[in-house]
């Protein structure tokens, strides 16, 4: 990541985004993919934030392709995707820490993860906004993200 982008990212908030169980219910039909994304769009309205994708979709699609699959208002906020780390405990949390240390070089970055897999994070992780995988993101998670972005 170039120095300009590093400086820009260091001064904003980063949302680490999962897709399945968040932007749509887990195991939903293809026609319902991203059916919950309007909650994320509302939460991010007018905020200075960036998105890093943690979804397993990153195993199949390039970051650019994932940007294109998302609505423009969300896709243009995507700055990258985490690398897969083969850990047994707290897998997503470790992937996020690795991304921050590798790409941002700032331990003081303000971040949140929205995910449906709490087992992939430490039990006391204050940065996790957890969704119900059966329903996906809703107004409660939208409010949590919006409050975080306003602080």
């Amino acid at each position: 990541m170039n120095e300009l982008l590093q400086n820009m990212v260091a001064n904003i908030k980063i949302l680490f985004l999962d897709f399945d169980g968040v932007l749509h219910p887990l195991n939903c039909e293809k026609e319902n993919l991203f059916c919950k994304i309007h909650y994320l769009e509302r939460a991010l309205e007018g905020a200075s934030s960036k998105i890093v994708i943690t979804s397993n979709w990153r195993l199949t699609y390039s970051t650019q392709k994932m940007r294109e699959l998302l609505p423009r208002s969300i896709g243009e906020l995507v700055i990258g995707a985490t690398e897969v780390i083969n850990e047994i405990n707290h897998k997503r949390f470790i992937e996020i820490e690795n991304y921050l240390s590798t790409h941002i070089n700032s331990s003081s970055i303000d971040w949140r993860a929205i995910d449906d897999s709490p087992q992939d994070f430490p039990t006391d992780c204050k940065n996790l906004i957890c969704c119900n995988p059966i329903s996906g993101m809703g107004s409660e998670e939208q409010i949590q993200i919006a409050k975080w972005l306003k602080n």
Side-chain angles (χ1 to χ4, degrees):
M1 184 177 289
N2 67 37
E3 190 174 327
L4 178 62
L5 187 55
Q6 272 187 320
N7 290 336
M8 179 183 75
V9 171
N11 295 320
I12 60 159
K13 298 179 180 199
I14 298 178
L15 181 66
F16 289 88
L17 178 64
D18 184 25
F19 289 4
D20 300 321
V22 175
L23 298 181
H24 46 259
L26 199 60
N27 301 320
C28 77
E29 299 295 322
K30 189 174 182 172
E31 60 271 5
N32 291 327
L33 292 175
F34 304 113
C35 65
K36 304 289 184 152
I37 201 157
H38 59 281
Y39 291 109
L40 184 59
E41 288 178 302
R42 287 186 204 137
L44 297 175
E45 254 175 30
S48 177
S49 62
K50 295 294 178 192
I51 294 172
V52 175
I53 297 170
T54 58
S55 172
N56 284 339
W57 287 46
R58 72 196 193 283
L59 305 174
T60 306
Y61 298 102
S62 69
T63 301
Q64 182 57 39
K65 180 61 177 171
M66 289 185 288
R67 275 189 203 105
E68 293 167 5
L69 291 169
L70 297 166
R72 174 177 248 151
S73 62
I74 302 292
E76 62 191 16
L77 299 177
V78 173
I79 59 170
T82 56
E83 293 180 29
V84 176
I85 306 247
N86 293 319
E87 285 290 326
I88 295 171
N89 296 315
H90 314 308
K91 179 182 173 85
R92 287 266 165 91
F93 182 77
I94 293 169
E95 290 171 348
I96 290 168
E97 284 189 323
N98 184 58
Y99 183 91
L100 291 171
S101 66
T102 303
H103 297 282
I104 309 300
N105 288 331
S106 174
S107 60
S108 63
I109 195 79
D110 192 3
W111 66 271
R112 293 293 181 277
I114 185 160
D115 204 300
D116 68 321
S117 300
Q119 69 276 10
D120 286 339
F121 294 84
T123 307
D124 60 348
C125 183
K126 307 263 188 265
N127 299 74
L128 175 62
I129 298 169
C130 194
C131 292
N132 180 332
I134 296 168
S135 58
M137 187 177 184
S139 58
E140 184 178 321
E141 294 83 12
Q142 174 188 330
I143 291 166
Q144 288 179 46
I145 292 171
K147 280 184 180 178
W148 163 63
L149 290 170
K150 288 180 183 172
N151 289 335

